[in-house]
Amino acid sequence: MLVLLPPSEGKAEGGQGRPLDLDSLSLPGLNPAREAVLDELVTLCRADEEKAREVLGLSQGLRGEVTKNAGLREAPTRPAGQIYTGVLYDALDLASLGPAARRRAARQLLVFSGLWGAVGIEDPIPSYRLSGGVKLPGAGPLGRYWRGPLESVLPEAAGDGLVLDLRSSAYAAMWKPKGATARRTATVRVLQSKVVDGVEKRSVVSHFNKATKGRLLRALLESGAEPATPGELAATLRELGYVVEGDDAESAKGPTALDVVVTEL
């Protein structure tokens, strides 16, 4: 199983690891594209703080992020699983996983990124700021920039197993599984169910969505389950106590969409 995750907008600061070495990252086939984006980002942030802030879509209060990006090549690193923070990663709580679940996480999880394309959770990276929705002057829109490089490496990384796609829309645009890989892919939407005047109403709520995906992934990792198809994934999630709706059968056209229905966090 390969699990695709979005990054977090905010990142943990600091680190004690050696400065960035692209050769230490997973998916080495992405390194030429990573080097090009990194070089443009660092050059932009060193040359013109105001232009960089505008390009990156940062408020005046986030000016320090420009300075941080300017020093990315010299900054200390830490594992990507410690860099990314926020609701999904708080709920996943990688640091408290048991040894076996942690090994599965290191093998199965990929975090998508406007800067790195995608990285494993053990990959040593510095804290940075670059949304996947940014349009760099040279590289252009990052969602489009990464499509070719990711298409060249991810089908092999996915192999012939299940792909569980938990990405947000901005990062889902960077790589869309095709062919047999798409038919082995499952996406998950989290719906909050409320009863209003005796009538059930369902809605997508960002906080519920992120927190539930984090807990769901944690439960999968701890269970040791290795579902091979979207149908097996749905069955596993039900065994773990989740209400799952959708077409469990492998789609002949593309990814299988599963809905997880929750009533409270």
Side-chain angles (χ1 to χ4, degrees):
M1 181 170 66
L2 185 68
V3 183
L4 312 180
L5 295 174
S8 58
E9 197 67 22
K11 314 289 190 303
E13 299 293 340
Q16 298 180 336
R18 294 181 178 179
L20 177 68
D21 176 6
L22 291 180
D23 289 337
S24 70
L25 305 185
S26 303
L27 306 175
L30 296 178
N31 281 350
R34 287 165 172 160
E35 178 62 40
V37 176
L38 177 64
D39 185 64
E40 182 173 1
L41 179 62
V42 169
T43 300
L44 172 68
C45 291
R46 287 179 175 175
D48 189 331
E49 182 180 274
E50 285 305 310
K51 181 180 179 181
R53 191 173 61 78
E54 180 181 344
V55 168
L56 299 177
L58 302 176
S59 66
Q60 287 283 355
L62 292 173
R63 300 173 71 93
E65 298 293 279
V66 176
T67 302
K68 180 167 68 176
N69 282 346
L72 283 175
R73 292 191 182 276
E74 299 79 33
T77 60
R78 62 166 67 184
Q82 297 177 20
I83 288 287
Y84 296 111
T85 60
V87 176
L88 187 155
Y89 291 92
D90 286 347
L92 176 55
D93 196 9
L94 287 164
S96 68
L97 288 174
R102 182 75 190 204
R103 287 193 294 272
R104 282 190 288 275
R107 187 175 68 249
Q108 296 175 349
L109 307 191
L110 282 180
V111 183
F112 276 61
S113 162
L115 179 52
W116 316 115
V119 291
I121 62 163
E122 298 293 343
D123 290 359
I125 59 173
S127 182
Y128 68 96
R129 187 67 173 248
L130 183 64
S131 168
V134 164
K135 179 180 179 181
L136 289 176
L142 292 174
R144 185 175 65 197
Y145 172 87
W146 281 110
R147 287 174 194 166
L150 288 167
E151 179 60 35
S152 71
V153 301
L154 285 185
E156 181 179 355
D160 58 2
L162 173 71
V163 176
L164 174 54
D165 190 350
L166 301 180
R167 296 173 295 169
S168 54
S169 58
Y171 294 94
M174 291 169 59
W175 179 64
K176 295 183 179 181
K178 298 177 182 178
T181 304
R183 293 190 290 274
R184 294 193 305 273
T185 297
T187 62
V188 172
R189 180 177 64 165
V190 179
L191 299 175
Q192 181 187 14
S193 172
K194 286 186 176 182
V195 177
V196 180
D197 297 328
V199 178
E200 183 192 29
K201 295 186 176 181
R202 294 181 175 181
S203 59
V204 177
V205 181
S206 178
H207 189 77
F208 273 79
N209 180 56
K210 294 175 183 177
T212 301
K213 286 180 177 178
R215 282 199 300 272
L216 175 153
L217 179 53
R218 181 183 177 88
L220 277 173
L221 292 169
E222 290 184 321
S223 74
E226 294 284 355
T229 66
E232 290 181 12
L233 172 66
T236 299
L237 292 177
R238 291 184 183 113
E239 291 173 1
L240 292 171
Y242 288 92
V243 176
V244 182
E245 299 178 353
D247 185 2
D248 294 2
E250 183 178 295
S251 171
K253 297 181 179 179
T256 297
L258 300 176
D259 286 340
V260 173
V261 183
V262 298
T263 56
E264 58 185 29
L265 284 174

